[in-house]
Every structure is written in C-alpha cells, then in structure tokens.
Amino acid sequence: MIPFLDLQAAHQEIRAEISDAVARVIDSGWYVLGDEVATFEEEYAAFCNASHCISVANGLDALHLALRAMNVGIGDEVIVPSNTYIATWLAVSQCGATPVPVEPDPQTFNINPALVESAITYRTKVIIPVHLYGQSADMHSILQIAGRHNLRVLDDAAQAHGARYKGLRIGAIGDVTAWSFYPGKNLGALGDGGAITTNNATLADELRALRNYGSRKKYINDTLGWNSRLDAIQAAVLRVKLRHLEGWNSRRVAIAAGYLTELADSALTLPLVPSWSDPVWHLFVVRSSNRDALQQRLAASGIDTLIHYPVPPHRQKAYAGLGIENDAFPVANQMSDEVLSLPIGPHMTEHQLAHVVSSIKDCAR
Ligand SMILES: *Cc1c(COP(=O)(O)O)cnc(C)c1O
C-alpha cells in the first residue's frame, strides 16, 4: 500500500524532539499564547522574511481575521479563485461580504490575473490569490491590478509554506498572508493552528487584538474580538517542525521532479511551473479526462490518491444563496472533473515513486 501522505513516518523521524518540546511546555505551566507562542511567531516571521507573525487557531480564522483587520464587512466584495478550497470563500462570507469568483489558469491551477480586472466593482475591497497546491500565484500581476484599483491583497498560503515567488519567500509579498498549520500541510501541527504574516505594523497590531477578545491589555477591550489563539504545545511542535521544513520540502521537490520526468510523455496533463516559481509541492496534481477510471485502477494497485477538489464552492449547497448557475465557472468545473492528486510527501520512497509511475503507465496500455 502506498499512502497518500505518511504522517506517522514524519512523526517517527522527529519523535524525540517533539516529545522534549511538548514536555517543556507541560512543565512550564503556560498553555495558551505566552513565550513559546511568541518565539514561534518570531521564528516563522523570520522564515517568511516578514516583519510580523500573528498566530491564530486555524487557517480559516487567519483569513477571516485578516479580512476583518482590513475592515471588510457587509456589502463589500472580495475576489477569490473559483477553484479553491471552500475556506477561502467562507472567510469572506464570515465578514458578511460576498466572494466574487475568478477562474484559474488551467495549467498552473492559480487565479488567472487577466480575468481579475473585469470582476472588480466599486464594492471590491480585497483580492485573495491562493498559492494552490504549493505553487505561488502570479503576484506581480495581481499586485499591479490591486494598485490600479486601490485594493488590498490577502494571499492564502495555507498550502505554500516555504514556496518562493521570483526567489522571494511567500509571506510578505501581498499586504497580508494567511497560513494554516493543519496536520497535513507542509508545516503542520499535531492539531489545528494558523497564522498571519505581514510587514504592515498597523494591521499586525489590530490582528493581535482581534485574535484575543479585542484586547491589547488584559481586561481592556478595544474592539469586538474573537478567541482564536494558538496553544503553546502546538507552537512548540511547530518550532521543531519548522527546523525540518526546508529539508522535507526539498524531498517533495525531488519526488515532483521524478513525476515530471517519468510522466512527461504519458496521457496525463502535468502541472506547469512558471520560470519565476519555486513550488513546495503540497500536492502533485495531474489532469486526466478519464480521472475516475484512473483513480480506481491506481487504488487496485494499492495506490492512494485524492481529489482536490471534487465540488467547487459555487456548486456547494452552502453557497446556493449566491444564485450562481452550476455551469457559470467552466474552468473550475473542468478542474473538478479532471484533477487527481498523486501521493507525495517527505517520506515517500523512490521505490514507491517508481511503483506509482509504472502503475500509471500500465493504465494507458
Ligand atoms: C487548509 C486550507 C485552508 C484552511 O485551513 P484550516 O487550518 O483547515 O482552517 C484555507 N485555504 C486553503 C487553500 C487550504 O488548503
């Protein structure tokens, strides 16, 4: 059996370090926010070349609170990709604002900048590019459009820890960057976690208050805030894993390079990597017009694959209220019919890679 992602193998590799870190927190007697969390925030900000990191309870909260800090509210519109995970849209809805979908480039899977401008109205406040599957969106084009229309850019980097755009790490390229540390992400906690990074000191200060009951000083509440804080135990785990992130990302890069070479003349459509992009391959997503049959045949060979994502947000019952026709976003719909995520992760072996490749080639025979 080849698992889609082997989290247990990851844990085995760093078991002793994790145990020491967790024990240190338990012994400290301080479990929410505090020094361990502040230290993680400093280390993660430095990793991202960002001036500030504000940790929160999960990735959805990171997106939601970032929008709140930028005063997004009822009646506002926010541009989102039509093919993202639903959390990107939900953050907008939680503010009382309306998500306005824009189609992706089917080769990179990321929002198509050429289509963004025509989606902008006088209500638009923010553009949310998503660095989907671990590859940076085309930030320069998006920032130029945002500049022309006086909009802010919040990038959803939940799948892109360590990814680079034009050699620069994601994290302070847009106005604010939102992160998730859900266990299966490239940098994942042993539970939920999230963060926002930014170079904007005013937004950082507002976010520190918003995540903690709107409070900057204990029992003094400046705004109507939320409770969205990171546990010290998760911060300690993340500090250990951050030290392994680059090594683990480079193993993903090696697996992806193997897939790209070995599957180059298969019937599959492979992901395109623009020259300015250094992806961290959170997922390795191929396209096939025969996707469901391929998935079944790989399962029969003991290979676990997943679909990211089978139903785009505009076709979810949760978004029926927007009144968007099912066929309104044909590229997102086509992606949902054709995409297949192959196994990838730092603990996948060359032997496993060879088995996936040969099984895919067998399917074409
Ligand atoms: C995982 C993910 C999120 C949400 O993160 P959670 O920590 O699960 O709330 C948001 N956006 C994208 C693109 C994601 O992959």
Side-chain angles (χ1 to χ4, degrees), residues 172-242:
I173 297 175
D175 293 281
V176 265
T177 302
W179 304 90
S180 163
F181 305 123
Y182 181 77
K185 309 286 174 158
N186 288 37
L187 179 61
L190 299 178
D192 276 313
I196 301 121
T197 52
T198 182
N199 281 346
N200 184 320
T202 311
L203 287 176
D205 176 63
E206 182 67 14
L207 283 161
R208 282 187 197 284
L210 285 179
R211 72 164 173 191
N212 191 22
Y213 292 108
S215 171
R216 290 179 174 84
K217 198 170 155 210
K218 202 168 169 93
Y219 303 129
I220 304 296
N221 301 80
D222 303 327
T223 46
L224 301 176
W226 280 262
N227 173 357
S228 183
R229 302 175 297 212
L230 191 66
D231 296 348
I233 286 182
Q234 298 306 342
V237 168
L238 287 166
R239 288 184 65 201
V240 170
K241 288 198 167 181
L242 181 56

Side-chain angles (χ1 to χ4, degrees), residues 58-60 63 84-85 87-88 130 132 156 158-159 180-182 185 192-193 309:
N58 55 67
L60 174 57
L63 289 162
T84 182
Y85 181 56
T88 318
V130 178
L132 200 66
D156 180 342
Q159 303 186 355
S180 163
F181 305 123
Y182 181 77
K185 309 286 174 158
D192 276 313
Y309 298 91

Side-chain angles (χ1 to χ4, degrees), residues 256-265 270 361:
Y259 278 139
L260 288 170
T261 310
E262 298 296 327
L263 298 174
D265 35 50
L270 301 179
K361 287 181 172 165

